[in-house]
Amino acid sequence: MLVLVTDGEDRAALAACRSLARAGHAVAVAAGRRPAPAHSSRACARRLYVPRSLAAEDFVSGLATALLDTTYDALLPASDAALLALSRFRERLPSPLLLGLPPREVVARSLSKLALLEEAGRAGFAVPESEECVGKSEALAAAAALGYPVVAKPTTSVVTAGDRAERQGSRVAHDRTKLERALSALGTPVLIQRFYDRSNVLSLAGVASHGGLAAVVTASWSRRWPPVDGAASFAETVVPPRSVVERGEALLAALGWRGIFELELLDLGGGRFAPIDLNPRPFAVRAGANLPAVWLECLQGAEPACVVARPGVRYRWEEGDLRHLLWQLRHGHPRAAAAALRPRRGVVHAYFELTDPAPLGAALVDLGRRSVRQTFTTRA
């Protein structure tokens, strides 16, 4: 099959590209920035340049134009922004490519953090103490009632302000000043949640099909970037707790989600897990569970037996782990910094592969450009 993967700038697209090629599929990658790591991969057979997925209408229009030249068998959105854009403007794309795209209302509900909290409790998960706030004054009052620090997060990860859209994650605010700064970036409505200090993150990823879960990858996060409220920079696959898998399956069924997913959960201890995010990004795929390949099987009508990733496979996001190390050194935590330097076996890297080294070079060039822009912006 010829599969078109979006968001070639992101490491999730690179993971999907490599995984599909390993399963024998041909892969085309659409990206809006050069260099794009997935474009540099040997797994990429065709390179397309379209506006970035955050520019939703232009992004879909660019894809529609590209689809006039070549017929693709499937379209895999590698980010929540791409998924939302494709869902919103789906009428502009050939209907066969929409086979794996859930209905518009399901996409919106599955990416809503409010809906996630609502269905999490019904599925048997713990629910973080939260308050939905429609204005700044409500958010400040909710934070005062919960007690600092608190977590501020947008109701969806893609925040639209006027004609601009940005991807925004959660932010930990240790006092009123930092919360006001977070609200300036996130806007409203916003969720204010209790901050659970020292709670590890467990990631439940996989493929949800009409018959249940067709693949499961469970990973425990060791390090994050940013350190308190960021994405996994180092993680290790673990044996999936049965209760987490069962509740996760029930949660996805209630939302109506079908396709690749990653459900992030706070480990509150005592077997209690609280969902904090649900997204469509195909990350951990080198532990015996090839999520994009399983997803394609499901699109073709198959109901494969559930594949469970083997434990003990480690994942490192190179840039994030390096930034984590430097942050720990700056804050006087040499032991925590040393943990990032410890050699480990069985590590899968986000960018580097011995047989496919070029994406790391592209990522380094992109990092350098971003650093230069940030330096000039700060000076200005």
Side-chain angles (χ1 to χ4, degrees):
M1 296 181 70
L2 178 58
V3 184
L4 176 57
V5 178
T6 71
D7 301 275
E9 308 90 347
D10 297 342
R11 57 191 185 279
L14 176 59
C17 185
R18 285 168 167 168
S19 299
L20 289 167
R22 288 189 186 97
H25 300 288
V27 185
V29 178
R33 189 175 68 221
R34 305 186 192 194
H39 274 178
S40 303
S41 173
R42 292 179 177 177
C44 177
R46 291 176 60 88
R47 299 172 180 82
L48 306 179
Y49 293 95
V50 300
R52 299 200 68 183
S53 56
L54 285 169
E57 187 170 6
D58 292 340
F59 164 71
V60 177
S61 295
L63 284 179
T65 300
L67 293 172
L68 296 175
D69 300 327
T70 306
T71 299
Y72 296 90
D73 299 299
L75 173 61
L76 175 57
S79 73
D80 42 11
L83 176 63
L84 286 168
L86 293 170
S87 178
R88 181 180 176 188
F89 298 104
R90 63 181 66 207
E91 293 81 6
R92 303 187 184 185
L93 299 177
S95 55
L97 284 185
L98 302 178
L99 181 62
L101 185 65
R104 185 177 282 108
E105 62 275 11
V106 171
V107 171
R109 185 164 174 78
S110 297
L111 297 184
S112 165
K113 300 186 189 301
L114 293 171
L116 179 64
L117 291 176
E118 177 184 329
E119 297 297 348
R122 296 174 183 172
F125 283 115
V127 178
E129 192 172 352
S130 310
E131 186 73 31
E132 180 188 4
C133 304
V134 297
K136 179 179 177 181
S137 59
E138 285 188 27
L140 293 174
L146 287 173
Y148 289 98
V150 295
V151 178
K153 59 174 60 175
T155 54
T156 62
S157 296
V158 178
V159 177
T160 302
D163 295 332
R164 296 182 56 192
E166 294 181 346
R167 187 178 290 112
Q168 295 283 358
S170 60
R171 304 190 180 200
V172 176
H174 289 83
D175 53 42
R176 181 187 174 103
T177 300
K178 291 182 179 177
L179 178 57
E180 289 179 338
R181 192 178 306 153
L183 294 174
S184 296
L186 301 178
T188 53
V190 68
L191 280 172
I192 301 298
Q193 293 183 335
R194 182 176 298 281
F195 175 65
Y196 295 87
D197 192 18
R198 303 183 185 279
S199 293
N200 291 330
V201 174
L202 184 74
S203 167
L204 175 67
V207 178
S209 72
H210 292 286
L213 296 186
V216 172
V217 181
T218 313
S220 177
W221 294 10
S222 299
R223 294 188 292 275
R224 309 171 69 172
W225 179 255
V228 178
D229 51 13
S233 63
F234 194 87
E236 181 174 348
T237 57
V238 297
V239 176
R242 182 176 177 180
S243 62
V244 168
V245 175
E246 291 175 347
R247 292 167 185 169
E249 187 172 16
L251 171 59
L252 293 165
L255 291 170
W257 177 254
R258 299 290 183 269
I260 297 173
F261 70 91
E262 185 198 23
L263 178 63
E264 297 169 8
L265 306 130
L266 280 181
D267 185 350
L268 302 181
R272 298 171 63 243
F273 293 89
I276 54 175
D277 189 39
L278 175 65
N279 63 70
R281 296 188 294 271
F283 281 130
V285 293
R286 287 293 304 277
N290 189 328
L291 305 189
V294 173
W295 172 74
L296 281 182
E297 288 185 52
C298 294
L299 283 190
Q300 296 174 78
E303 288 292 343
C306 183
V307 178
V308 180
R310 66 183 182 275
V313 177
R314 301 177 178 97
Y315 163 83
R316 173 177 281 124
W317 167 30
E318 297 94 327
E319 178 188 343
D321 227 21
L322 175 60
R323 290 181 180 274
H324 178 99
L325 183 155
L326 296 174
W327 185 92
Q328 296 289 3
L329 288 176
R330 286 197 303 269
H331 288 78
H333 305 146
R335 289 187 179 180
L341 293 173
R342 179 185 172 189
R344 306 295 293 267
R345 293 182 179 180
V347 176
V348 175
H349 294 86
Y351 295 110
F352 178 72
E353 277 192 7
L354 189 60
T355 58
D356 189 27
L360 177 61
L364 291 174
V365 170
D366 183 54
L367 173 61
R369 289 179 177 176
R370 284 186 284 121
S371 299
V372 169
R373 285 198 299 269
Q374 185 177 5
T375 298
F376 279 102
T377 302
T378 302
R379 288 179 179 177

